[in-house]
Amino acid sequence: MPAGVFRAQGRKVQLRVFGEEGGEEESEPFIECGVDRDRWQETKFSYYQFPNRNAQRILFTMPHGERIAELLLHIDACRFTPQRPIIWPGGIKAPMHIDVRLALGHAQAQDLIVEALASRVRSLHVPPDVIAGVSPSGADWAPLVAKKLDLPCVLVWSMLPKGVKTHIDGSVQEGTHAVLIDDVISTGRRTTAAAHALCEEGKVTLTDIVSIFSYGMPDSLEYANEERVQLHPLFDIDTLLKTAINHDLLNEEDRREILAFAKDHEAWAKTR
């Protein structure tokens, strides 16, 4: 199977060229999106109609975050509504909403996200003994990541539901090192509350929280500093909005509105 190097917007990215017979299966998951072949040198899509009779598809590696952002946009998991704000379950008025749970219904998306989460966990300075998931938001992803890494898994409630007496679902040994998994971090209050409960109740060491997406709100950094943990999102608001603009799904004015919200959601809400 031929391979080469493709230069996209000044970056070198490794690519593999597939012939008409399809070639061998890729070891990594890829997003497949059709694009106009006349624009292939300018776009960042990871599926190209290539003007070559011997090569029908080109797949190239791109950072996990960009690939996930592209895929979530493709499956309509992101809603941008700055002119018609929506109210999040926590009561925050917001110009957008992202629901990564929709990726669970798409095998390719699920595999990509799980592999990216596992890869981020592997890259941490201290290898974990156990994977913990914020319940309910991270409860779908933590077991999949734990299975991928061949580690035990527990779930942690940030607030106890009615009738539940313990924050931790599952068994964790005192003194073990845990990594906490969540899907989306906005203010970070719920996620870091789960981190606090895990450390207090489970008597574990926790230094890192890995999430799929983060709005990058200042509140989340403050809460993380209070709990002395580091946040590791696969991609953030800047990557998502840049990808949406590149795919003509968002204009510059709306991008600025959403960034203003992420910077200070309370001040932004007062202007709406």
Side-chain angles (χ1 to χ4, degrees):
M1 181 174 58
V5 175
F6 170 69
R7 187 176 296 276
Q9 297 190 355
R11 296 187 308 167
K12 283 186 177 180
V13 286
Q14 198 69 31
L15 61 80
R16 287 179 172 179
V17 181
F18 285 75
E20 294 183 2
E21 299 301 320
E24 65 180 1
E25 185 177 2
E26 283 284 347
S27 59
E28 290 186 282
F30 286 88
I31 308 160
E32 298 189 2
C33 303
V35 295
D36 184 345
R37 72 180 186 181
D38 294 331
R39 297 177 57 206
W40 72 276
Q41 288 182 314
E42 302 173 2
T43 182
K44 290 185 177 179
F45 275 103
S46 48
Y47 174 17
Y48 293 90
Q49 297 291 345
F50 193 64
N52 184 317
R53 63 185 178 86
N54 295 319
Q56 288 190 334
R57 293 188 297 166
I58 290 183
L59 297 176
F60 68 89
T61 61
M62 90 196 295
H64 273 142
E66 292 181 25
R67 290 159 61 191
I68 295 170
E70 182 179 281
L71 186 57
L72 292 177
L73 289 167
H74 179 67
I75 65 174
D76 295 325
C78 307
R79 292 173 53 200
F80 303 113
T81 58
Q83 308 309 320
R84 301 182 305 280
I86 58 178
I87 306 299
W88 288 351
I92 294 177
K93 183 183 290 187
M96 65 162 287
H97 177 67
I98 179 169
D99 187 358
V100 298
R101 293 174 302 177
L102 294 178
L104 293 166
H106 299 262
Q108 185 184 29
Q110 181 185 125
D111 290 345
L112 175 60
I113 292 174
V114 171
E115 175 56 41
L117 289 169
S119 178
R120 185 61 57 90
V121 172
R122 292 191 197 101
S123 71
L124 298 176
H125 182 65
V126 181
D129 302 303
V130 60
I131 299 296
V134 178
S135 192
S137 54
D140 295 316
W141 301 101
L144 297 174
V145 174
K147 183 178 181 180
K148 186 82 173 177
L149 298 174
D150 194 23
L151 291 172
C153 180
V154 297
L155 301 179
V156 188
W157 295 93
S158 57
M159 295 183 63
L160 288 178
K162 186 176 180 180
V164 177
K165 298 181 179 180
T166 176
H167 286 85
I168 303 174
D169 291 339
S171 177
V172 60
Q173 293 184 352
E174 182 176 339
T176 56
H177 187 86
V179 167
L180 190 63
I181 303 290
D182 206 352
D183 60 354
V184 174
I185 295 180
S186 52
T187 65
R189 183 177 180 179
R190 171 182 49 80
T191 306
T192 52
H196 182 82
L198 178 61
C199 293
E200 287 294 307
E201 195 172 297
K203 306 300 181 184
V204 304
T205 300
L206 176 69
T207 57
D208 301 284
I209 298 175
V210 177
S211 67
I212 298 172
F213 174 74
S214 172
Y215 283 90
M217 292 182 174
D219 291 352
S220 65
L221 298 178
E222 292 178 9
Y223 283 123
N225 287 335
E226 289 178 6
E227 295 299 327
R228 298 182 179 181
V229 295
Q230 294 289 323
L231 303 179
H232 304 273
L234 298 181
F235 71 108
D236 59 15
I237 190 69
D238 290 322
T239 299
L240 176 63
L241 299 185
K242 182 179 179 181
T243 304
I245 285 181
N246 287 344
H247 294 181
D248 297 324
L249 299 174
L250 189 71
N251 60 47
E252 182 59 30
E253 180 181 354
D254 288 346
R255 185 188 76 89
R256 289 194 296 267
E257 283 285 324
I258 295 171
L259 288 177
F261 160 79
K263 183 177 180 180
D264 188 337
H265 65 89
E266 292 181 344
W268 182 87
K270 292 177 181 179
T271 66
R272 310 308 297 174

